[in-house]
Amino acid sequence: MNADVASAAGREGGSIGRWVAGRLTNLAPLVTLLFLVLVFSLMAPSFATLDNLGNIMRQVSITAIIATGLTFVILTAEIDLSVASIANAVGIVVAYFTLQETYVNIANVPMPGAVAILFALLAAFALGTVNAVGVTVIGIPSFIMTLAMMQIGAGISALLVRGQIAYAIPDPVRFLGSGMMGPFPSIVVVACLFLLVGHLVLTYTRFGRYVYMVGGNREAAEFSGVNVKLVIAAVMIISAVCCGVAGMLGVAYYGSAQQNEFDDYLLDSIAAVVVGGTSLFGGQGGIPNTILGLLVLGVLNNGLDHIDIDSFLKVLIRGLILLLALIINVYAQRLRNRAA
Amino acid sequence: MSEGKETPILEMVGIGKRFGGVTALTGIDFDLRRGEVHGLVGENGAGKSTLMKIIAGVHHGYDGEMRIDGQPVHFRSARDALAAGIGMVHQELSIVPQLSVAENVFLGVQPTNGLGVVSWGRMKREAREHLQLLGIDIDPSRETGTLPIGMQQLIEIGRVLFSGARIVILDEPTSALSPPEVKHLFEVLGRLKAKGTTFVFISHFLEDILEVSDRVTVFRNSRKVATVDAASVDKAWVIEQMIGAGHHELADAMLGEIRLESPKGAPVVFSARGLSRPRSFADVSFDVKAGEVVGLYGFMGSGQTELARALMGKARLHGGTVSMGGQEIRLRSTADAKKAGIALVPESRRAMLFTHEPVYKNISISILERISRLLLKPAEERRIAQGHVDALRIRPFSVEPEVRKLSGGNQQKVALARWLTHLPRLLVLSEPTKGMDVGAKDDVVKIVKGLKEKGVAVVVASAEPETVLTMADRILVMRKGQIAQEFAERGVSKDQLLAAA
């Protein structure tokens, strides 16, 4: 009872301005999103349609799965630059263990579909474990460790396909990546599921709390007896496994497995997490922020295709809008911190 | 000297300052005479730092008037204040440890030749000359971080002087120094004030203030209580002015002799044998019984802080054995220590609090694994936390506000509350009352007493004699990483402690 009275009093005590300031990190990306939707709707009649909404959802699904894992990593104030590279490698691994058409000139090792998927997931787990060991046991900063892993992943991809393109993948992967679940594209359903589970884990489990605490103040977490290294190892592995799934489904989504297929996803996934308002310094943010970031990014990428501008200019515009979103975020965060 | 007639170098009349609805200063008249050391004392929050920040140009929205050499001034920034000859040396030094002494002396204003290239030769020569004027003979190309803290501090004071300061504000300059270093600092101050430099000396160490100051000003509750000649008063008088009535236990510890009494016949909970860690401590052995509070006292850098960290598994032990309840344990990580029932409250609050999280999450973090296996139980967390907030009188009486919105003393209580739910077998407190005001210190002493009654073994490591004297049943004095002397079951005074360290 005491707690209720006290917290109610606290809520009444704060003015509306302070309430807004306290939530600016969440409101800023929401405002950006609404602004983008409004602008694109006015500029292109083809933008604000149900059909196009479906397009946007499909287009952000792979990023969403990667960003789910990346949110865990960034919340602990670490970074994973190997996400796209691991996704690519794992996508190729699953194709490598699948029987390809004869015209595909790859010395692959055909296995039953379930085994191929298992191997791919194990590969993702193993790459994540290497990241985890490098960061926690050896003590390499995650920025450098995952930069190395980015190269390793690219190397694995190159070795397995040797410049070729593989097409065949196990049926379950094909279904999840490019099939439909009733009226919904399965990849959207999978992405939503990942985001949901990620959110539940971060919000309602002890592990999730530890993720926030490690990111909020690593030393304090350590002094509280939290096994910080284990938490960081876990998030690195979670990230790699999410990437692995994204990689497999991505191969199905694009219909092929080849080198450098996922290169855009590194920036996209980091941008989604950060534009959404999750702090790169750790401890603040979460999956709801990531969802907002994904939508901002998805609307931006999609909307620019609907309006009639120089396609060479689009990349620049996209960069500038992302910069603007980040600037708004930084100021929002500063205001929030001052609202004490 | 006809001090009464001379125009004060700095004069403040009717100074008042409010932060939002909180009054920080009210009706302050204050002046500094040329070439004096002016001591400033008062509890945390009494207003002395606010006044100094006004003088140093940090705060500029205030009531009243400030005059320098009789001319009204109103600083807009620290840069303005420095241009008028006012410099401040903060408790946390702002020297750059990786740079050479000369570079630190000239930080930001390196002498350059016509091409804008730093002229190293000139810089070193001038740095050496400047420092020699302070009575410091040191190689200006040495890396500053390798010098003792006392020397680093003198270098920083030197820097402030060379940048043109005539009035230097020293914030807690002696808290990190050993007695010989304090003596050296005082000699330097004496020499500089003879040349006309004016100092403001802020400190919690009353002996130091009374020894070095010409005049002393006491603050209490945002007001100036008195300005007196330092020679005409003693410590007891100053304490009385500072804290008003009450707080006898602490006043006693500051003044008199404490009787130590260890619990007889209680089982030994923790024992350390031959602990060592290079450059920190060597061959340290001691036992702690249930319900016993062992004080580890030593000057800053004597090894007690590192020893406390090692007990929590935060600093690696290179030799020796540790056992809990007769069972030998290994301390490779904080998780190991926690499993063995050891908890540490480290010296810096920043190292133990999640400032952006609400109070209840800060309190529950250490017990999460006991109250939840997989899923969190926020209601349970809040209930436990609210109990502590009520019992420890943590203000505001709510578990929801983010910790950064609490005052320093309340933050410290939150950090302690973390270990009160499921009691550790051994609690290691490192500098538990550092920088706290008397009231909050009293509260911490009470919390430790409560733990002791529940049979928790406690180790209190501190460089402040008052802290160990008020809390400990038995005091181990550390000197240069080794236990130099033990005080147990007999009277001990602060003088004896200092003499042993």
Side-chain angles (χ1 to χ4, degrees):
Chain A
M1 180 209 87
N2 222 338
D4 293 346
V5 172
S7 67
R11 234 168 269 144
E12 276 163 19
S15 66
I16 292 176
R18 207 178 298 168
W19 186 88
V20 171
R23 277 149 194 80
L24 261 181
T25 38
N26 298 333
L27 289 179
L30 188 63
V31 170
T32 311
L33 176 64
L34 294 177
F35 172 76
L36 287 176
V37 168
L38 190 73
V39 168
F40 287 130
S41 305
L42 291 176
M43 290 179 75
S46 57
F47 175 78
T49 61
L50 212 56
D51 246 12
N52 195 38
L53 179 66
N55 287 338
I56 294 175
M57 300 298 278
R58 256 201 313 276
Q59 284 159 5
V60 297
S61 287
I62 296 171
T63 317
I65 298 169
I66 296 175
T68 301
L70 198 58
T71 303
F72 281 76
V73 176
I74 291 180
L75 278 175
T76 62
E78 298 289 345
I79 189 72
D80 188 347
L81 300 178
S82 60
V83 284
S85 177
I86 289 178
N88 204 352
V90 174
I92 286 175
V93 166
V94 84
Y96 184 81
F97 289 117
T98 307
L99 182 65
Q100 298 293 330
E101 301 291 340
T102 46
Y103 58 85
V104 175
N105 193 13
I106 296 175
N108 69 334
V109 184
M111 297 271 175
V115 178
I117 293 169
L118 184 70
F119 278 11
L121 286 174
L122 282 176
F125 186 85
L127 293 178
T129 306
V130 173
N131 271 341
V133 168
V135 173
T136 59
V137 180
I138 304 173
I140 306 169
S142 58
F143 184 87
I144 304 297
M145 179 62 222
T146 56
L147 201 60
M149 181 53 71
M150 190 169 139
Q151 284 298 303
I152 293 170
I156 293 171
S157 303
L159 270 177
L160 292 184
V161 290
R162 294 183 167 273
Q164 301 290 309
I165 301 175
Y167 300 97
I169 45 169
D171 285 339
V173 175
R174 184 173 305 284
F175 168 70
L176 290 176
S178 58
M180 297 290 283
M181 287 185 187
F184 303 109
S186 349
I187 196 162
V188 175
V189 176
V190 173
C192 289
L193 216 60
F194 266 71
L195 287 166
L196 178 68
V197 171
H199 179 63
L200 294 178
V201 169
L202 280 174
T203 317
Y204 296 105
T205 70
R206 188 152 62 90
F207 171 72
R209 174 71 62 77
Y210 287 162
V211 168
Y212 277 97
M213 293 311 206
V214 167
N217 185 343
R218 181 161 304 181
E219 199 175 14
E222 218 166 293
F223 279 126
S224 311
V226 175
N227 196 334
V228 171
K229 286 183 172 178
L230 194 66
V231 172
I232 291 174
V235 297
M236 297 310 291
I237 294 172
I238 287 172
S239 173
V241 171
C242 287
C243 293
V245 174
M248 282 192 272
L249 301 198
V251 167
Y253 181 77
Y254 289 118
S256 67
Q258 53 187 308
Q259 278 172 258
N260 304 330
E261 192 169 24
F262 289 79
D263 287 1
D264 289 344
Y265 286 99
L266 171 57
L267 277 180
D268 273 13
S269 54
I270 292 177
V273 175
V274 178
V275 167
T278 294
S279 166
L280 273 174
F281 302 106
Q284 292 176 62
I287 296 291
N289 294 82
T290 300
I291 293 174
L292 277 176
L294 284 165
L295 292 175
V296 168
L297 221 65
V299 165
L300 182 58
N301 288 344
N302 175 285
L304 284 174
D305 288 338
H306 282 262
I307 57 174
D308 188 25
I309 48 167
D310 180 358
S311 63
F312 297 103
L313 195 61
K314 280 180 187 170
V315 181
L316 183 62
I317 290 177
R318 181 170 167 255
L320 289 176
I321 292 178
L322 284 180
L323 179 64
L324 191 71
L326 289 175
I327 291 172
I328 293 172
N329 264 5
V330 168
Y331 278 101
Q333 208 135 348
R334 219 170 276 168
L335 273 176
R336 182 188 125 90
N337 290 347
R338 235 179 264 151
Chain B
M1 234 197 286
S2 57
E3 282 167 343
K5 285 171 194 157
E6 198 186 330
T7 314
I9 185 167
L10 178 139
E11 200 177 2
M12 304 180 91
V13 183
I15 298 292
K17 173 78 187 163
R18 298 168 66 79
F19 294 107
V22 184
T23 303
L25 283 177
T26 170
I28 308 285
D29 296 334
F30 181 77
D31 67 275
L32 292 173
R33 295 172 187 159
R34 189 177 316 279
E36 76 165 337
V37 175
H38 196 120
L40 226 55
V41 296
E43 294 187 57
N44 291 341
K48 53 187 195 306
S49 337
T50 309
L51 187 68
M52 288 308 111
K53 282 180 180 164
I54 289 174
I55 295 180
V58 179
H59 295 322
H60 33 80
Y62 56 87
D63 304 327
E65 190 177 68
M66 171 153 70
R67 289 193 282 268
I68 287 185
D69 294 326
Q71 299 294 315
V73 290
H74 198 118
F75 301 138
R76 294 261 147 223
S77 67
R79 190 180 286 253
D80 283 0
L82 193 59
I86 297 169
M88 189 156 178
V89 175
H90 293 273
Q91 193 174 0
E92 269 89 40
L93 297 181
S94 57
I95 58 139
V96 184
Q98 296 85 357
L99 295 183
S100 71
V101 171
E103 285 171 289
N104 269 300
V105 168
F106 287 103
L107 204 66
V109 288
Q110 288 100 330
T112 53
N113 63 18
L115 292 172
V117 176
V118 174
S119 45
W120 291 92
R122 200 173 116 212
M123 187 160 98
K124 277 182 194 162
R125 201 174 55 245
E126 287 183 14
R128 187 191 289 270
E129 284 167 12
H130 278 316
L131 290 172
Q132 268 166 353
L133 291 179
L134 300 189
I136 306 168
D137 198 6
I138 197 166
D139 175 8
S141 47
R142 272 192 68 172
E143 189 183 323
T144 315
T146 62
L147 297 167
I149 293 282
M151 191 60 76
Q152 296 183 19
Q153 190 171 46
L154 288 173
I155 289 166
E156 178 146 347
I157 293 174
R159 178 170 83 208
V160 171
L161 287 173
F162 306 147
S163 59
R166 296 176 295 153
I167 300 172
V168 181
I169 302 163
L170 303 171
D171 189 8
E172 291 286 352
T174 57
S175 64
L177 304 187
S178 65
E181 288 177 316
V182 171
K183 206 167 148 246
H184 188 195
L185 173 70
F186 287 180
E187 281 166 17
V188 172
L189 296 188
R191 207 170 305 146
L192 289 167
K193 89 179 179 177
K195 287 181 187 161
T197 310
T198 306
F199 290 96
V200 176
F201 192 104
I202 306 172
S203 182
H204 284 105
F205 295 92
L206 301 180
E207 289 93 343
D208 292 345
I209 291 249
L210 289 173
E211 188 187 334
V212 77
S213 303
D214 299 300
R215 290 191 296 160
V216 175
T217 295
V218 186
F219 281 84
R220 185 169 79 215
N221 294 336
S222 317
R223 287 168 197 280
K224 185 175 100 169
V225 182
T227 296
V228 292
D229 281 337
S232 68
V233 296
D234 64 2
K235 198 176 162 186
W237 183 86
V238 175
I239 292 174
E240 206 181 298
Q241 297 301 312
M242 260 171 65
I243 62 180
H247 303 302
H248 290 297
E249 213 161 321
L250 215 71
D252 282 352
M254 286 187 179
L255 292 169
E257 205 170 70
I258 297 276
R259 268 210 80 72
L260 303 172
E261 38 187 308
S262 278
K264 292 236 169 63
V268 169
V269 172
F270 172 85
S271 67
R273 289 291 170 270
L275 301 186
S276 58
R277 182 178 153 78
R279 276 179 287 144
S280 296
F281 49 85
D283 196 25
V284 173
S285 303
F286 65 97
D287 292 337
V288 191
K289 292 176 198 156
E292 185 185 35
V293 181
V294 171
L296 285 173
Y297 168 73
F299 296 127
M300 196 83 76
S302 300
Q304 73 276 14
T305 312
E306 292 76 11
L307 181 58
R309 290 173 80 86
L311 294 183
M312 183 61 193
K314 183 73 190 179
R316 200 68 166 262
L317 286 168
H318 286 243
T321 56
V322 178
S323 43
M324 291 289 287
Q327 284 247 305
E328 196 176 320
I329 54 166
R330 299 189 61 178
L331 295 173
R332 285 157 309 187
S333 68
T334 51
D336 277 358
K338 194 182 172 204
K339 212 170 290 165
I342 303 176
L344 173 67
V345 179
E347 56 282 359
S348 96
R349 266 178 226 125
R350 259 185 52 202
M352 45 188 180
L353 292 169
F354 305 94
T355 49
H356 285 269
E357 300 286 353
V359 168
Y360 80 90
K361 289 190 189 174
N362 272 277
I363 292 177
S364 67
I365 178 73
S366 63
I367 50 160
L368 278 186
E369 55 189 9
R370 300 194 200 224
I371 59 176
S372 74
R373 284 184 64 87
L374 177 68
L375 296 181
L376 293 168
K377 293 178 183 137
E380 173 88 351
E381 287 178 50
R382 284 191 170 89
R383 191 185 58 75
I384 292 170
Q386 190 65 48
H388 292 307
V389 165
D390 294 343
L392 302 181
R393 297 186 296 122
I394 294 172
R395 261 165 261 243
F397 293 109
S398 164
V399 296
E400 303 301 334
E402 291 178 14
V403 162
R404 69 201 164 104
K405 296 179 183 172
L406 272 53
S407 73
N410 284 309
Q411 291 186 354
Q412 179 83 354
K413 289 188 209 169
V414 170
L416 280 170
R418 192 179 290 168
W419 303 112
L420 302 180
T421 310
H422 289 278
L423 297 175
R425 295 165 76 192
L426 175 72
L427 178 66
V428 183
L429 302 169
S430 185
E431 300 293 356
T433 57
K434 190 177 181 182
M436 291 175 93
D437 64 45
V438 175
K441 274 185 183 173
D442 241 21
D443 282 336
V444 171
V445 170
K446 280 184 196 127
I447 295 170
V448 171
K449 282 215 163 120
L451 286 168
K452 179 180 145 74
E453 275 157 23
K454 287 178 184 152
V456 177
V458 182
V459 172
V460 177
S462 179
E464 287 178 18
E466 287 87 0
T467 306
V468 284
L469 282 169
T470 39
M471 295 186 185
D473 304 313
R474 190 151 63 85
I475 298 173
L476 306 172
V477 179
M478 291 192 71
R479 189 200 304 147
K480 290 182 180 160
Q482 290 186 305
I483 293 179
Q485 199 168 346
E486 175 172 349
F487 292 96
E489 296 174 52
R490 58 189 155 94
V492 56
S493 73
K494 190 176 161 182
D495 294 344
Q496 283 172 289
L497 267 192
L498 285 168

